[in-house]
Amino acid sequence: MEFSFTSVLFYVFAAIMVLASLRVITTKNPVHAALFLVLAFFNAAGIWLLLKAEFLAIVLVLVYVGAVMVLFLFVVMMLDINIDKMREGFWGYLPVASSIGAVIVLEMAAVLYRAYKQTALSAEAAALNIGGTKELGLLIYTKYIYGFEIAAVILLVAIIAAVALTLRKRKDTKAIDPGLAVRVKRNDRLRIVKMDAVNQRAIDAANAEKAAAAAAAVPKEAP
């Protein structure tokens, strides 16, 4: 069985993607898990490029790696996650997770075996079946417009929830409420008080006269 350079690249990308996916669920550090997921996305984009689906590869890198995963990475870094508490009871869920994973593997194997038994398509035909930018745009904004909008709303809610988790009130910091600052009025900022004019020299002279009169009123002691 002869292997072409494209086949070698496919197996390399696939192997790295599988290893990175395993590290996503096995690593203890959530930041490392997010970085391994970025690596898996890059290798998936490489496989899309081998299938001549450049648009899907670029979207995978720009949207998921460049926007979504970077945002989630910052959120994970800002959250104070108790890793030990999250790891409690991990082995208790292993049988259920293993059974679900086995079912998924069997289903995918059945689909791939059926496709393998059929006549193999050429690279040009496979690229035509995947579709380019124009074909994807027509399908997304016509046939799948509602699903596309629902997915956009779900992603927006997820991003807002991730940002809201980082908002914490700390007692050792000072902060200004922007809402109160906007609603403040002029009279709340400045108050003008009218006062009578004061002649400091006259007050000092009067105080001196009172002091002299008090000193004169004190009787002198006899010698």
Side-chain angles (χ1 to χ4, degrees):
M1 182 177 182
E2 296 181 358
F3 288 95
S4 62
F5 181 70
T6 304
S7 301
V8 173
L9 286 180
F10 170 78
Y11 286 110
V12 170
F13 289 151
I16 297 176
M17 185 172 63
V18 171
L19 293 177
S21 303
L22 292 176
R23 290 297 296 163
V24 169
I25 61 177
T26 56
T27 185
K28 296 181 179 180
N29 195 326
V31 178
H32 294 170
L35 293 176
F36 278 114
L37 186 58
V38 170
L39 179 61
F41 283 156
F42 268 109
N43 287 275
I47 295 176
W48 281 118
L49 288 175
L50 293 178
L51 294 175
K52 300 184 182 300
E54 294 84 2
F55 176 75
L56 295 178
I58 293 174
V59 168
L60 183 61
V61 173
L62 292 181
V63 176
Y64 285 93
V65 178
V68 177
M69 283 308 305
V70 172
L71 178 61
F72 287 168
L73 182 60
F74 284 147
V75 172
V76 169
M77 292 174 66
M78 288 186 290
L79 288 176
D80 187 12
I81 300 177
N82 190 354
I83 302 176
D84 296 333
K85 186 176 181 180
M86 292 178 59
R87 290 287 177 176
E88 293 180 358
F90 175 77
W91 297 106
Y93 297 102
L94 184 60
V96 178
S98 301
S99 60
I100 294 175
V103 171
I104 294 175
V105 170
L106 292 176
E107 291 177 350
M108 294 300 297
V111 173
L112 293 176
Y113 179 77
R114 181 178 179 182
Y116 180 76
K117 297 295 291 184
Q118 294 178 356
T119 304
L121 297 176
S122 61
E124 292 76 9
L128 291 176
N129 289 333
I130 295 174
T133 307
K134 182 177 180 180
E135 289 76 10
L136 289 174
L138 291 175
L139 288 175
I140 289 175
Y141 292 105
T142 55
K143 185 177 180 180
Y144 301 103
I145 182 63
Y146 295 109
F148 180 75
E149 292 179 352
I150 292 173
V153 172
I154 293 174
L155 288 175
L156 179 61
V157 172
I159 293 174
I160 294 175
V163 174
L165 290 175
T166 62
L167 297 178
R168 298 181 180 180
K169 294 182 179 180
R170 298 177 58 182
K171 298 180 180 180
D172 57 344
T173 59
K174 295 182 179 180
I176 299 176
D177 190 356
L180 296 177
V182 171
R183 292 192 297 268
V184 72
K185 298 181 181 179
R186 181 188 62 181
N187 297 331
D188 298 332
R189 294 179 180 272
L190 178 64
R191 185 176 62 179
I192 300 176
V193 179
K194 294 182 179 181
M195 299 178 64
D196 297 333
V198 177
N199 191 349
Q200 189 64 35
R201 291 183 179 180
I203 294 174
D204 293 340
N207 291 333
E209 291 177 358
K210 290 180 180 180
V218 175
K220 297 181 179 180
E221 296 180 357

